[in-house]
Each structure stands twice: as C-alpha cells, then as structure tokens.
Amino acid sequence: MGKDTFILSRDVCAALKLNGVIDRDNPTAQRDLRKIQDAFNAMHAESGWQLCQLSRMLAMSIG
C-alpha cells in the first residue's frame, strides 16, 4: 500500500540512543539521520523484517 519506512517516535529514538546509534534525543542533523538509516538497513538485512516492524520492536524495547 505504501513505502516501507521507519518511524522516529520518541521511544524509537530512545532505543537508538541507548544502543549508541545516535547521541541526541531528537535527531535532526543529516549525519544523525544517515546513522539511523544505516542502522535500520543493517537490522533489515540481518533480520529480514520490514522497517516499520523494526521501529515497533525498538519502541517496545523501551520500558
């Protein structure tokens, strides 16, 4: 129906920060967005999950 994409919710950003992908709570710089894209591409290649599924998994990992 649409293009698969990741969702940068507050919890997804927190999970990425906890895992050392980014160092800011609200990433807006192009370098941060490239790091996020690279991380999602690596997770997708390893797991085969869709990007939206990976976003949900990351968000639910924050407790």
Side-chain angles (χ1 to χ4, degrees):
M1 299 285 222
K3 184 175 180 179
D4 182 32
T5 187
F6 55 84
I7 299 158
L8 287 181
S9 68
R10 184 176 52 230
D11 287 339
V12 171
C13 290
L16 291 170
K17 186 176 176 183
L18 284 173
N19 286 292
V21 175
I22 56 175
D23 56 358
R24 299 176 183 194
D25 291 330
N26 188 16
T28 56
Q30 287 295 317
R31 64 180 156 68
D32 291 333
L33 298 176
R34 269 189 246 111
K35 289 179 186 179
I36 293 167
Q37 182 70 60
D38 291 343
F40 271 94
N41 289 344
M43 289 185 284
H44 172 70
E46 185 176 326
S47 68
W49 288 16
Q50 296 178 7
L51 300 178
C52 61
Q53 292 172 318
L54 293 167
S55 294
R56 181 175 288 164
M57 182 268 307
L58 285 170
M60 294 203 287
S61 70
I62 298 300

